[in-house]
Amino acid sequence: MSDHTEALCGNEGSTCIIGTPRDCVGEECGSFIPALVFPFLALGIGLFVHPISKKFRVPYTSMLMVIGAILGVLGCSVEMALLTESLKIWAHISPPTLFFYVFLAPLVFETAFNTDAYLFSKLFFQIVYLAFIVVVAQVFLVAVWQLYVIQSPDWTLFTALVFGSMLSATDPISVTATLKELGVSEQLNTLIEGESLLNDGSAVVFYEAFLDAALEGSSSAGSVIVRLLRLSLGGVAMGIAFGLVALCFLAAVYEMFEVEVSMTIVVAFLGFWTAQSPSMLSGVICNVISGVMLSAYGKRLVSPLVRDPLQKIWELLSWLANTIVFVYAGLLVVAYIWSCAGDPLQWFDYVHILTWFAYLNLLRFVLVFLSHPIIRLGNKWYGFKEAAVVSYSGLRGAVTLILALEVGGTGELPSSVRSRVVVWSASIVALTLFVNGSTISTLLHWLGLDVPDPVKEVVHFGTYAPFIHPRPLSLILDLTVFCGSNASPFTSRSASGLSVARKGGHVGMHLRDS
């Protein structure tokens, strides 16, 4: 990791201390120790903030952004020796894709791996509709609003589409946590989580295609479409390949904690990096596909004693990534506002933050309610109350921040565009977390949806359906044999107390005594 040589917004005379890069090159910059100070400081902040956020029921990530902003004010105004050096390194990260490669992989994979595969498959059509058709509409409507209403200088069609793609990635982590805590319908929770998972993939694919076009200066619609197809379909193929390799590997080992856990980590990071570069495909799509495959089939191949620790490890990795990203976002927003004040950022640019927040919420409500008949198909539980919750849950989060930080470090784009993207995006993320995330429980109570789902009080057949349905189970048994497993996983590894045997080409099951 190295420093940018350019000051934020090109303002070499900025009074923000961390707004200008370190005055050193190569070996002159000394050891790598300063670069480690900020991330570990951010994690230390997270250790104190997490229990406080739980106690006072305030969104954890929004508290991190506030503390990050305070750290940014200190970094801009006070010389703090080693900490200042560290903040300068992180404020001028080079290459800007570092955040994209390091932090996005675990966030996307953890969401896919810990999704409810059965409910996800039942709601697949609705999730795909929300994550692709609605996202396409939102990307273009955001671009139209930027070009014809906001009308900021130096913005082109493609930079506006890049901005629209970034703001189309939702991250309803605080909403879904509240839904689970209050015992709200599992179907509603899975619909919101599933949409977030897939629209991360679709939004990032659009973002990459439009960013390439923006950097090239001119691209035809045909070349953009080809780029979109290559990123998405290639990402799917790469995800299937990594998923199958992981399934075979997990089928061949048993009660090897280190090996089984490491396999999922390798798939998440190596799959993402291989797809993203050198294959030039979508690493996000790759991680979505491989993560869902391991959620649907791989968990049954994981040794019983490894399952729960594996889930907790991925929750921890996601927590670590989220903590660093949100503290960093708060820090960088202050650095940009301080360094870019007056030129290129004007007073009305800060007013536009509220305009964007209102417009994005209204836009999501309109698109979701227009889609009501389609989402309701085959889902009698889904009514206008649930549609209101889905609309209100369109929070922006880590993916939007990571993409904004990458744009902020892309020197080929005008500084007027980069500064507005970073400040607007991070501010919109903060507002959705503070407003939508903090008031979702009030909305649920007002709609009468905060009554626990009685289905959750008992173990219902649907919970076990993915385990005892003959077709996928037969596939897993065949995979176990094909991949050469010497263990008998379905008499000792089977989930939820099910003992499974295969006789004469048929799958038979019975409940074991606990």
Side-chain angles (χ1 to χ4, degrees):
M1 183 171 69
S2 60
D3 303 73
H4 277 308
T5 56
E6 179 187 352
L8 298 182
C9 296
N11 186 2
E12 297 291 347
S14 172
T15 58
C16 176
I17 297 173
I18 62 173
T20 55
R22 295 192 299 170
D23 187 21
C24 61
V25 179
E27 294 181 358
E28 296 178 15
C29 293
S31 71
F32 62 88
I33 297 299
L36 300 177
V37 174
F38 169 74
F40 282 98
L41 174 62
L43 294 177
I45 291 170
L47 294 177
F48 288 96
V49 170
H50 201 190
I52 295 173
S53 68
K54 292 282 186 182
K55 181 176 178 60
F56 293 100
R57 307 176 74 86
V58 178
Y60 170 65
T61 47
S62 59
M63 290 185 67
L64 290 178
M65 285 194 72
V66 170
I67 295 176
I70 295 172
L71 187 61
V73 171
L74 291 174
C76 282
S77 57
V78 180
E79 178 65 51
M80 298 177 287
L82 188 62
L83 179 56
T84 296
E85 289 294 299
S86 184
L87 296 182
K88 280 193 171 189
I89 292 172
W90 282 82
H92 302 274
I93 283 179
S94 181
T97 52
L98 180 66
F99 253 78
F100 188 86
Y101 279 91
V102 174
F103 294 103
L104 200 53
L107 290 172
V108 172
F109 186 85
E110 186 272 335
T111 304
F113 183 67
N114 285 332
T115 192
D116 186 321
Y118 172 66
L119 287 177
F120 185 87
S121 66
K122 297 291 287 185
L123 296 168
F124 185 72
F125 172 75
Q126 287 77 10
I127 290 172
V128 168
Y129 176 83
L130 286 170
F132 290 93
I133 305 302
V134 171
V135 164
V136 169
Q138 183 164 295
V139 167
F140 283 91
L141 289 172
V142 167
V144 168
W145 183 266
Q146 170 60 34
L147 292 174
Y148 297 103
V149 178
I150 303 297
Q151 295 184 339
S152 302
D154 299 324
W155 285 69
T156 65
L157 172 61
F158 286 121
T159 52
L161 289 170
V162 167
F163 189 54
S165 302
M166 291 164 41
L167 294 179
S168 296
T170 60
D171 185 11
I173 183 170
S174 59
V175 172
T176 55
T178 302
L179 293 179
K180 291 175 181 177
E181 182 180 334
L182 295 176
V184 178
S185 166
E186 286 284 356
Q187 292 96 326
L188 178 60
N189 203 17
T190 302
L191 178 65
I192 294 172
E193 282 188 329
E195 180 214 354
S196 172
L197 173 63
L198 289 193
N199 79 13
D200 283 351
S202 60
V204 172
V205 165
F206 284 121
Y207 164 84
E208 291 183 290
F210 293 138
L211 181 61
D212 287 345
L215 295 178
E216 289 173 5
S218 61
S219 291
S220 64
S223 64
V224 173
I225 292 173
V226 169
R227 197 176 285 124
L228 286 170
L229 291 174
R230 187 195 76 233
L231 288 167
S232 54
L233 298 181
V236 169
M238 186 71 75
I240 291 173
F242 270 89
L244 287 175
V245 169
L247 290 175
C248 278
F249 195 90
L250 290 173
V253 298
Y254 184 61
E255 291 189 353
M256 297 183 184
F257 175 84
E258 298 85 356
V259 174
E260 294 175 66
V261 171
S262 298
M263 185 62 203
T264 62
I265 294 174
V266 168
V267 168
F269 284 95
L270 187 61
F272 187 94
W273 297 337
T274 303
Q276 202 69 34
S277 178
S279 301
M280 304 299 290
L281 307 174
S282 173
V284 174
I285 293 288
C286 174
N287 271 21
V288 168
I289 298 299
S290 61
V292 170
M293 285 179 66
L294 288 178
S295 174
Y297 303 114
K299 286 181 180 178
R300 282 164 280 174
L301 295 172
V302 175
S303 307
L305 295 178
V306 178
R307 286 190 197 122
D308 286 342
L310 177 60
Q311 180 178 340
K312 295 301 181 185
I313 285 172
W314 273 107
E315 290 175 358
L316 173 62
L317 290 174
S318 177
W319 182 86
L320 294 173
N322 264 314
T323 299
I324 295 173
V325 167
F326 278 91
V327 174
Y328 180 67
L331 164 77
L332 204 62
V333 166
V334 169
Y336 264 95
I337 291 175
W338 194 307
S339 300
C340 306
D343 183 25
L345 294 179
Q346 307 294 326
W347 66 268
F348 48 79
D349 288 310
Y350 304 106
V351 176
H352 287 327
I353 293 171
L354 298 177
T355 306
W356 274 117
F357 175 70
Y359 176 69
L360 289 169
N361 273 289
L362 176 62
L363 181 60
R364 181 167 174 86
F365 268 89
V366 170
L367 292 174
V368 170
F369 274 90
L370 287 176
S371 307
H372 185 80
I374 296 175
I375 301 174
R376 187 171 167 78
L377 284 175
N379 295 298
K380 294 182 179 180
W381 58 269
Y382 185 84
F384 287 108
K385 292 181 179 180
E386 286 76 12
V389 175
V390 172
S391 303
Y392 202 71
S393 65
L395 285 71
R396 275 62 179 182
V399 174
T400 298
L401 288 176
I402 290 171
L403 299 182
L405 297 175
E406 183 180 12
V407 169
T410 305
E412 294 86 348
L413 295 175
S415 62
S416 59
V417 173
R418 287 182 283 145
S419 58
R420 288 181 173 90
V421 166
V422 173
V423 172
W424 286 348
S425 299
S427 300
I428 290 166
V429 169
L431 281 172
T432 59
L433 288 171
F434 273 114
V435 179
N436 300 49
S438 299
T439 58
I440 185 64
S441 57
T442 303
L443 176 65
L444 290 169
H445 180 71
W446 184 68
L447 294 173
L449 293 176
D450 57 347
V451 179
D453 187 351
V455 175
K456 293 185 71 177
E457 302 299 324
V458 296
V459 179
H460 59 91
F461 179 83
T463 303
Y464 295 110
F467 295 108
I468 63 179
H469 190 285
R471 222 175 133 192
L473 187 54
S474 175
L475 184 147
I476 294 295
L477 288 168
D478 288 338
L479 183 66
T480 305
V481 174
F482 175 77
C483 294
S485 174
N486 294 319
S488 52
F490 287 94
T491 56
S492 54
R493 299 194 207 183
S494 57
S496 307
L498 287 173
S499 178
V500 184
R502 195 170 189 182
K503 298 179 181 180
H506 300 283
V507 178
M509 289 145 284
H510 62 275
L511 287 171
R512 293 196 317 271
D513 294 329
S514 299

